[in-house]
């Protein structure tokens, strides 16, 4: 008796991230070859993370940068006296 | 100079060494805080509070993790404090992300088929898509949101995340998986409503 889809789904992150045992990887690949829902699940899980990573890089606001310089220097002086 | 040397110098009171240690991380901390809180003012406060705590406690850093990982754990504690009013809820069980209640039924035996979306860029503008993703992440309960962000934005290993959030590797793995399933599910629902059949 083969594994159930739920068992495969529990392994999908490791499978997608390339952290899965090769034998189990092969088993999953075989399974998604004939299970449409698991195939869609794999594709759209991959796509979800890809989309999340596509966003614009966030930069530290310039105003915060200069505020931090003074704030941290002052704190350092309080702690170490220099 | 190695991180270890910088840490030793900073712990001895060298501010420049401390600056070198935080320069590589402060932008990342801001990005993490912004994703966690979805509020730029809160994110700025979290960066300030994190770095001040790092100064106050620098002698407690023992080098068991990287300095960046140590800063992340402080930043997450600060983020949690900002989000303390948000209810700590749990996500649905994994079974509930399958198209039918019974996992066996999913295997193409008459169960409802999942909505198949692969390239939402075809139908949505980048800004709209970005907003949709931010909303999907913001909808995650805090404990799942932090695990998801550390794994897929900061690209930390499960082991590193487990250390930061103070959970076992197995529990961290499960959080990351469930968060990913929830984000996928949320995006699927929105996209299906937009251009599904």
């Amino acid at each position: 008796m083969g594994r159930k889809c739920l068992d495969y789904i529990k392994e999908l992150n490791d499978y997608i991230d390339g952290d899965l045992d090769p034998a189990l990887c092969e088993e999953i690949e075989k399974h998604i070859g004939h299970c449409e829902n698991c195939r869609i699940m794999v594709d759209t899980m991959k796509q979800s993370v890809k989309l999340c990573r596509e966003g614009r890089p966030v930069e530290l606001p310039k105003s915060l940068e200069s505020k931090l310089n003074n704030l941290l220097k002052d704190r350092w002086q309080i702690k170490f006296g220099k | 100079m190695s991180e270890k040397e910088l840490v030793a110098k900073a712990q001895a009171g060298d501010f420049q060494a401390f600056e070198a240690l935080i320069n590589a991380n402060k932008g990342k901390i801001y990005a993490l805080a912004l994703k966690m809180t979805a509020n730029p003012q809160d994110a700025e406060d979290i960066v300030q509070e994190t770095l001040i705590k790092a100064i106050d406690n620098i002698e407690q850093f023992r080098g068991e993790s990287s300095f960046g990982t140590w800063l992340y754990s402080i930043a997450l504690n600060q983020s949690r404090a900002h989000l303390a009013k948000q209810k700590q809820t749990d996500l649905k069980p994994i079974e509930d992300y399958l198209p039918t209640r019974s996992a066996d039924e999913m295997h193409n035996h008459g169960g409802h088929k999942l909505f198949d979306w692969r390239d939402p860029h075809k139908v949505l503008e980048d800004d709209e898509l970005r907003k949709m993703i931010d909303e999907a992440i913001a909808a995650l309960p805090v404990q799942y949101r932090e695990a998801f962000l550390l794994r897929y934005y900061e690209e930390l290993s499960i082991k590193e995340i487990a250390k930061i959030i103070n959970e076992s590797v197995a529990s961290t793995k499960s959080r990351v998986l469930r968060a990913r399933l929830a984000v996928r599910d949320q995006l699927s629902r929105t996209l299906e409503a937009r251009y599904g059949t």
Side-chain angles (χ1 to χ4, degrees):
Chain A
M1 198 170 102
R3 282 165 168 260
K4 295 170 187 166
C5 295
L6 179 61
D7 293 335
Y8 288 119
I9 282 172
K10 288 178 181 166
E11 307 288 352
L12 285 189
N13 259 356
D14 283 348
Y15 169 70
I16 295 168
D17 297 342
D19 297 330
L20 201 61
D21 165 70
L24 191 47
C25 251
E26 208 177 303
E27 206 182 301
I28 289 182
E29 268 154 27
K30 211 170 144 192
H31 175 76
I32 60 179
H34 61 83
C35 177
E36 183 68 352
N37 275 326
C38 281
R39 198 270 305 154
I40 294 172
M41 190 65 97
V42 168
D43 285 348
T44 51
M45 278 175 82
K46 276 186 191 168
Q47 186 69 350
S48 305
V49 166
K50 189 170 167 273
L51 290 173
C52 290
R53 286 175 170 161
E54 274 175 8
R56 278 189 214 108
V58 177
E59 281 177 15
L60 203 66
K62 290 266 180 286
S63 58
L64 176 61
E65 185 92 56
S66 56
K67 206 194 292 180
L68 276 178
N69 283 341
N70 297 327
L71 186 76
L72 300 180
K73 263 183 205 156
D74 289 349
R75 195 71 173 199
W76 197 265
Q77 208 151 28
I78 293 168
K79 187 175 170 84
F80 290 101
K82 48 183 165 182
Chain B
M1 199 179 292
S2 74
E3 182 174 288
K4 207 174 165 185
E5 288 167 325
L6 285 172
V7 168
K9 274 178 170 275
Q11 286 175 330
D14 183 336
F15 183 64
Q16 281 181 336
F18 178 73
E19 274 188 314
L21 287 166
I22 62 165
N23 280 345
N25 293 294
K26 57 190 180 189
K28 288 181 179 179
I29 291 169
Y30 177 73
L32 178 69
L34 189 59
K35 289 280 175 200
M36 279 296 289
T37 61
N39 180 318
Q41 189 52 57
D42 279 351
E44 289 200 14
D45 291 347
I46 290 165
V47 174
Q48 292 182 45
E49 291 158 8
T50 300
L51 297 177
I52 282 175
K53 276 207 181 301
I55 291 177
D56 291 349
N57 298 298
I58 191 140
E59 63 282 351
Q60 287 172 24
F61 177 70
R62 299 265 171 262
E64 287 151 0
S65 62
S66 72
F67 195 77
T69 303
W70 185 65
L71 287 177
Y72 279 141
S73 57
I74 301 174
L76 278 184
N77 280 333
Q78 297 310 119
S79 302
R80 284 174 189 160
H82 278 256
L83 296 168
K85 283 182 198 146
Q86 286 190 13
K87 250 171 71 186
Q88 289 277 319
T89 47
D90 207 16
L91 285 173
K92 299 186 285 187
I94 293 171
E95 295 89 311
D96 287 10
Y97 293 106
L98 304 182
T100 55
R101 284 288 304 162
S102 153
D104 290 326
E105 291 288 317
M106 182 171 158
H107 191 76
N108 280 353
H109 297 304
H112 166 67
K113 199 177 141 204
L114 286 174
F115 176 60
D116 195 0
W117 54 274
R118 284 190 229 184
D119 192 4
H121 292 290
K122 279 184 190 160
V123 287
L124 293 177
E125 295 293 325
D126 282 356
D127 283 348
E128 199 177 1
L129 200 51
R130 206 166 288 133
K131 190 168 166 261
M132 196 187 287
I133 290 159
D134 286 345
E135 283 170 359
I137 293 169
L140 291 172
V142 175
Q143 68 272 35
Y144 293 90
R145 198 184 314 162
E146 60 191 20
F148 184 86
L149 293 172
L150 290 172
R151 182 75 184 102
Y152 296 114
Y153 280 85
E154 303 308 328
E155 302 189 27
L156 300 185
S157 70
I158 296 284
K159 231 175 167 177
E160 287 172 309
I161 301 167
K163 205 171 241 179
I164 291 173
I165 65 173
N166 203 21
E167 286 288 335
S168 68
V169 167
S171 153
T172 306
K173 254 186 162 181
S174 164
R175 280 193 196 187
V176 171
L177 171 67
R178 289 170 74 186
R180 191 173 189 168
L181 286 169
V183 169
R184 191 214 77 86
D185 194 55
Q186 178 70 36
L187 292 176
S188 296
R189 283 169 199 274
T190 316
L191 289 165
E192 188 167 15
R194 282 295 298 266
Y195 72 103
T197 49

